[in-house]
Amino acid sequence: DIEAIQRLLHAGQPILPYPYLRAGQRVRITRGPFQDVEGILVRTNPRKGLLVVSIDLLQRSVAVHLDCTQLEAA
């Protein structure tokens, strides 16, 4: 894995940091209108993740698709 990263670095192509997040992980939104909202990351793909925010007291949940670069581990 380290060798693969080194090859990417030496290839001369633009490389951007990307959050290492897993489905089922608790995450926090870092920017945008939902900044600081926390929820469970249900699904990820290269463009969007499905974030579920639950209110246990009301036993209700809502889901929103977000750019995964707006998320960090909570």
Side-chain angles (χ1 to χ4, degrees), residues 17-58:
Y18 196 81
Y20 181 73
L21 302 171
R22 300 175 318 277
Q25 183 175 4
R26 186 155 190 83
V27 295
R28 179 181 311 106
I29 302 170
T30 58
R31 63 184 186 275
F34 303 118
Q35 184 172 351
D36 295 327
V37 171
E38 292 187 13
I40 303 296
L41 185 62
V42 175
R43 182 176 57 238
T44 63
N45 69 36
R47 285 290 206 197
K48 291 184 182 175
L50 180 64
L51 177 72
V52 173
V53 177
S54 298
I55 302 171
D56 293 329
L57 183 64
L58 300 176

